[in-house]
Amino acid sequence: MIEIDNLSKSFTLHNQGGAEIPVMAGASLRVAAGECVALTGASGAGKSTLMRMIYGNYLCQSGSIIVGGVDIARAEPREILALRREVLGYVSQFLRVVPRVPTLDVVAEPLLIVGEDESRARERAAELLARLNIPERLWSLSPTTFSGGEQQRVNIARGFAHDYPALLLDEPTASLDAANREVVMSMIEAAKARGAAIIGIFHDEAARDRLCDRVVDVTRFVPGLA
Amino acid sequence: MTDYNFAYLDEQTKRMIRRAILKGMAIPGYQVPFASREMPMPYGWGTGGVQVSAAVLTPEDCFKVIDQGADDTTNAVSIRRFFEKTAGVAVTERTAEASVIQTRHRIPEEALREDQIIVYQVPIPEPLRFLEPRETETRKMHSLEEYGLMHVKLYEDIAQHGNIATAYAYPVKVEGRYVMDPSPIPKFDNPKLEMDAIQLFGAGREQRIYALPPHTKVVSLDFEDHPFDPSKADHPCAICGAEDSYLDEVITDDAGGRMFVCSDTDYCRGRVEAAAGAKAEDAA
Amino acid sequence: MTTPLLSVRDIEKRYGARIGCTGVGFDLYPGEVMGIVGESGSGKSTLLNCLAGHLTPDQGEVIYHDRQGVGRDTVTMSEPERRMLSRTDWAFVHQNPRDGLRMGVSAGGNVGERLMAVGHRHYGGIRSVATDWLGRVEIADDRIDDRPSSFSGGMQQRLQIARNLVTGPRLVFMDEPTGGLDVSVQARLLDLLRGLVRQMGLSVILVTHDLAVVRLLADRLMVMKSGHVVETGLTDQVLDDPQHAYTQLLVSSVLQA
């Protein structure tokens, strides 16, 4: 489902004397449908960078990232957008939404985008929010005013609203209490069971051990360290 | 005779105006620019109409002038005298006798004939002016037939008053092409715009001439659910008893007394005379 | 493979010796929202006006694929055709609502104008469509007969949007649509625009200098500097991993709230 070959990445800081900072070289990785792979490595080793490259958020200098048959390293913006709508989901650590939009609509949006009808999208959103223990009285409010933990759960609900064949999870269980952590882990297990290919960053070792089939240490992709 | 050239204007000017008239006749409803001259009267007194009349008058013509339907108002009397003096033409107050009629704000009640010409005095020839003040833009709208804006005005009328409150200068579409301001005649007169006579419109200050040849199709703009309604005051004339003519409301005293009388004075007098004649015949 | 809605090739506009914009080309696909960002004087408004037919470019093509799928160069098409497009398939939302509204005409008349322009002649029908659209842009229906001069800035802008979208256009040009509004009103407008874009499947070309606006509204970005396009790409990619020196400067100059 996800095939990464010989990927390299460097940042050029034009406004700081044109300094060039290579951050990744020769990264290769394959994730099959129904498989969950954890990225590990010290902070700054490039876990998030790799995730962002897969999501098309960062450009890469060379190599290929094929998800669902589309090479993200070379695709047009609209192809990447189509991929993000249909195939590739991403649960980041930060919630980024238009202020004022009710939580229920934030969660339903990925479904509306793929053409689900409005009432069914809201039904599904409500189900997810309830499962993640977001009190119903908050659903009509914008999540921008929520606590960190609540925002994180809204973000997860949004990420799991549509059944993406490929999922990127950045610390999905961080800042969650035990009960919600359990809910999220079971959601990830369910996604695996339906055949989603998952790449995740888990600092929570217990979660990693329970969910992941393999662990890839990105330190070996750091240029000069391999 | 006088020392003036026939009908005041010099021949070159009249020729220029006739060319504008011919072009206007060829493109019904289209506003033809012309080099309006200074006339010996202020703008707003009918300088456009006077120039058009001057250009079409011949020594054999019989001339009539009405202002709001009346032959005896200052404006009408002045213009009639002006041409009596400068062209030496015959003048009349009778619609049927006139070959050229200059008018401000009315069409005579009596149907006009093919051998007559009616000349309208026009203050603002551009029907789109109050909605779109840019002349460059309104000219473009005419040339591209973009007339949606004209209906916006009627829409606003209905939204504010419950019906189309525009009671005079009611916009019309000419031969399915140009939207035209019929000059500030009451909308009651709009149906008469389809007539046998030649209709010429002159706007002196705005330097525009436009025309309707005989039998031109003229449709008053409206909405399907708010059709054009040429209404008038719901009274008979207090003098002649006519129920089909356009009426002026006349205040008769300081106590709020009022009466409705025909605005077309010649029509009213004609009816009174005919009734008197019939009475005399009956008596005889 | 779908055809682009708009194919822009090598557009150049000069003001004498000075470059307005040059060498601009891109394809815009149905349903795409493209942001054009850059500082004042970067040529983004010049470009927008060239694309929307308000300015004639000195060179280049703007091919619009109409509802029949026929591609027509709007630069060379006749003025009546272009004006017809701009009141049917196209829409233009000005930064200042006063430029896009008739201030002396009621809200209902403003929305109804485009309908009347394409031949609607049923007052009741026009009014009910106008009422519906006022609702969609969150203007109470009892304001339908009020003039926009009595509206707040945010309401005026929403009215301008309703007036533009009432005929179901396919392509909307927006010039700093949230520019003159205060922050809370901006958010509401952005939310509204996002909803309309999705429901109507609109393609949008959005000029702004506000990176937060493009982040929320635009699928892709074009960064302009001194009349040239210096960088293009997916919106979040350009903002999170800018490649060009100017874009890096632009992104790093945003004040963090």
Side-chain angles (χ1 to χ4, degrees):
Chain A
M1 192 65 215
I2 304 174
E3 295 173 22
I4 299 169
D5 273 306
N6 204 22
L7 206 57
S8 70
K9 168 77 188 160
S10 61
F11 290 106
T12 308
L13 306 178
H14 292 285
N15 299 306
Q16 289 171 42
E20 186 158 335
I21 305 170
V23 293
M24 195 174 291
S28 295
L29 176 64
R30 276 178 162 61
V31 184
E35 197 181 17
C36 179
V37 173
L39 301 181
T40 60
S43 190
K47 300 185 295 290
S48 291
T49 300
L50 181 57
M51 296 272 269
R52 287 177 169 195
M53 287 165 76
I54 299 169
Y55 200 58
N57 191 215
Y58 280 2
L59 287 182
C60 35
Q61 265 58 45
S62 65
S64 67
I65 307 166
I66 296 174
V67 178
V70 175
D71 184 357
I72 291 164
R74 267 168 270 291
E76 290 285 311
R78 64 194 181 88
E79 295 173 297
I80 296 179
L81 287 170
L83 197 73
R84 287 180 182 182
R85 276 196 298 273
E86 306 280 346
V87 179
L88 183 61
Y90 183 27
V91 178
S92 71
Q93 295 188 70
F94 308 101
L95 184 65
R96 203 167 234 157
V97 292
V98 182
R100 200 182 79 106
V101 180
T103 298
L104 194 67
D105 293 352
V106 168
V107 176
E109 196 185 15
L111 287 167
L112 295 174
I113 288 172
V114 293
E116 185 64 86
D117 78 51
E118 210 149 320
S119 61
R120 285 187 43 199
R122 281 159 182 272
E123 223 167 83
R124 168 92 174 128
E127 188 188 303
L128 283 162
L129 288 169
R131 199 166 162 206
L132 284 158
N133 301 307
I134 303 286
E136 192 166 347
R137 65 190 156 76
L138 298 182
W139 296 359
S140 59
L141 305 177
S142 164
T144 43
T145 55
F146 291 5
S147 73
E150 284 163 342
Q151 288 200 6
Q152 172 68 351
R153 279 177 279 149
V154 171
N155 214 7
I156 289 166
R158 184 178 156 89
F160 280 84
H162 172 62
D163 288 337
Y164 298 102
L167 265 175
L168 305 174
L169 307 175
D170 192 351
E171 298 273 17
T173 55
S175 68
L176 295 183
D177 59 41
N180 282 312
R181 178 169 164 273
E182 183 54 38
V183 172
V184 172
M185 286 205 286
S186 64
M187 284 169 67
I188 297 170
E189 282 170 335
K192 272 182 71 177
R194 67 166 166 79
I198 301 173
I199 297 180
I201 300 172
F202 301 90
H203 282 140
D204 174 351
E205 276 182 44
R208 188 199 306 159
D209 293 343
R210 175 169 147 192
L211 296 170
C212 299
D213 306 296
R214 273 189 295 140
V215 169
V216 172
D217 186 348
V218 298
T219 313
R220 63 188 166 95
F221 304 144
V222 176
L225 285 181
Chain B
M1 252 331 254
T2 69
D3 294 331
Y4 291 110
N5 188 41
F6 179 76
Y8 185 77
L9 290 174
D10 63 90
E11 293 305 312
Q12 285 302 326
T13 299
K14 286 192 283 184
R15 188 179 288 178
M16 175 271 292
I17 293 170
R18 285 181 202 129
R19 276 198 292 263
I21 291 170
L22 285 173
K23 180 167 179 181
M25 292 283 281
I27 317 171
Y30 172 72
Q31 298 168 46
V32 185
F34 81 108
S36 180
R37 296 292 193 254
E38 288 295 323
M39 298 304 285
M41 62 186 76
Y43 287 123
W45 283 56
T47 53
V50 166
Q51 291 178 77
V52 170
S53 292
V56 299
L57 277 174
T58 64
E60 295 74 36
D61 272 316
C62 183
F63 191 56
K64 169 183 163 84
V65 186
I66 51 174
D67 176 4
Q68 311 253 28
D71 294 83
D72 54 1
T73 58
T74 314
N75 195 287
V77 171
S78 305
I79 292 172
R80 194 164 61 231
R81 287 213 186 123
F82 175 76
F83 282 112
E84 251 184 310
K85 187 171 178 186
T86 61
V89 291
V91 296
T92 181
E93 294 191 1
R94 299 196 184 269
T95 301
E97 286 173 10
S99 55
V100 176
I101 302 169
Q102 180 169 333
T103 177
R104 172 174 175 268
H105 300 192
R106 271 314 308 276
I107 298 176
E109 303 292 352
E110 200 176 326
L112 300 183
R113 303 181 309 267
E114 274 188 8
D115 60 348
Q116 292 178 304
I117 294 174
I118 180 165
V119 178
Y120 296 81
Q121 299 172 200
V122 180
I124 296 167
E126 180 47 72
L128 300 162
R129 175 65 46 84
F130 292 106
L131 296 152
E132 177 52 72
R134 291 168 295 182
E135 175 79 13
T136 47
E137 188 63 18
T138 54
R139 295 187 80 166
K140 200 165 270 176
M141 290 160 87
H142 281 294
S143 66
L144 302 179
E145 277 189 86
E146 292 181 4
Y147 289 131
L149 198 53
M150 208 63 246
H151 272 87
V152 172
K153 177 165 187 326
L154 301 180
Y155 170 95
E156 291 290 284
D157 261 11
I158 303 173
Q160 278 164 31
H161 307 287
N163 54 51
I164 299 177
T166 300
Y168 61 92
Y170 192 103
V172 295
K173 195 159 198 184
V174 176
E175 280 294 333
R177 178 58 182 86
Y178 284 97
V179 165
M180 185 189 95
D181 182 333
S183 87
I185 57 171
K187 65 177 176 177
F188 173 80
D189 282 344
N190 270 26
K192 293 188 220 153
L193 288 163
E194 286 188 359
M195 63 161 75
D196 297 348
I198 290 174
Q199 302 176 74
L200 304 176
F201 298 79
R205 181 178 37 206
E206 302 269 338
Q207 314 199 333
R208 294 288 184 277
I209 285 171
Y210 49 104
L212 295 173
H215 313 295
T216 300
K217 190 176 160 205
V218 180
V219 177
S220 302
L221 301 181
D222 61 3
F223 286 103
E224 291 158 11
D225 48 345
H226 284 267
F228 173 72
D229 171 25
S231 63
K232 64 165 194 91
D234 190 18
H235 294 272
C237 171
I239 297 173
C240 74
E243 292 182 351
D244 57 352
S245 68
Y246 189 73
L247 302 171
D248 285 338
E249 185 179 356
V250 182
I251 306 296
T252 52
D253 54 36
D254 289 344
R258 56 183 191 161
M259 61 193 277
F260 289 91
V261 298
C262 288
S263 99
D264 185 340
T265 52
D266 174 55
Y267 180 73
C268 196
R269 186 185 54 207
R271 280 178 53 87
V272 169
E273 283 172 7
K279 220 179 220 172
E281 235 167 68
D282 285 351
Chain C
M1 189 70 194
T2 49
T3 31
L5 189 69
L6 200 70
S7 297
V8 178
R9 296 286 173 270
D10 199 23
I11 288 291
E12 176 171 293
K13 175 75 187 171
R14 284 176 175 272
Y15 300 105
R18 203 164 58 78
I19 293 172
C21 61
T22 185
V24 182
F26 63 88
D27 285 328
L28 185 76
Y29 286 83
E32 264 189 328
V33 179
M34 188 175 85
I36 304 176
V37 296
E39 61 200 1
S40 303
S42 59
K44 57 190 196 299
S45 290
T46 296
L47 175 62
L48 190 74
N49 284 315
C50 284
L51 300 177
H54 298 169
L55 279 177
T56 308
D58 299 321
Q59 134 185 348
E61 292 180 336
V62 179
I63 309 287
Y64 171 70
H65 292 270
D66 65 18
R67 288 174 207 260
Q68 283 73 46
V70 180
R72 284 131 37 98
D73 186 355
T74 65
V75 174
T76 54
M77 82 172 35
S78 71
E79 191 177 12
E81 285 182 294
R82 194 159 50 233
R83 285 174 69 113
M84 185 56 143
L85 260 190
S86 62
R87 61 175 193 267
T88 54
D89 281 18
W90 290 10
F92 196 104
V93 176
H94 295 264
Q95 170 172 14
N96 187 342
R98 287 172 178 277
D99 296 333
L101 291 172
R102 291 193 192 278
M103 298 306 282
V105 168
S106 70
N110 264 291
V111 177
E113 182 178 343
R114 270 174 81 113
L115 292 173
M116 293 182 246
V118 295
H120 288 245
R121 291 292 179 266
H122 191 283
Y123 174 82
I126 292 164
R127 202 166 165 85
S128 73
V129 173
T131 307
D132 177 48
W133 265 98
L134 290 180
R136 290 178 75 170
V137 299
E138 302 170 19
I139 295 175
D141 53 11
D142 63 358
R143 303 300 302 270
I144 189 168
D145 295 327
D146 294 345
R147 293 189 174 179
S149 45
S150 71
F151 288 5
S152 68
M155 275 174 82
Q156 288 181 2
Q157 196 58 295
R158 296 202 301 278
L159 180 62
Q160 192 193 177
I161 287 163
R163 170 181 158 90
N164 269 286
L165 299 188
V166 66
T167 49
R170 303 167 74 212
L171 175 60
V172 185
F173 301 95
M174 296 188 189
D175 188 3
E176 304 270 12
T178 59
L181 305 175
D182 62 49
V183 182
S184 62
V185 179
Q186 274 191 21
R188 184 174 182 189
L189 191 72
L190 285 174
D191 174 33
L192 184 79
L193 283 173
R194 258 164 77 102
L196 291 170
V197 164
R198 190 185 65 221
Q199 289 156 24
M200 301 178 70
L202 297 173
S203 301
V204 179
I205 297 179
L206 165 73
V207 160
T208 180
H209 63 269
D210 188 336
L211 298 183
V213 169
V214 285
R215 170 138 0 223
L216 291 174
L217 220 50
D219 300 320
R220 31 190 294 230
L221 267 196
M222 210 158 91
V223 183
M224 293 193 71
K225 178 172 170 33
S226 313
H228 296 262
V229 174
V230 295
E231 185 163 355
T232 63
L234 209 56
T235 300
D236 54 283
Q237 180 262 301
V238 172
L239 295 180
D240 294 343
D241 186 17
Q243 305 295 304
H244 190 273
Y246 175 71
T247 318
Q248 291 185 355
L249 184 67
L250 200 67
V251 170
S252 64
S253 305
V254 175
L255 296 174
Q256 295 292 326

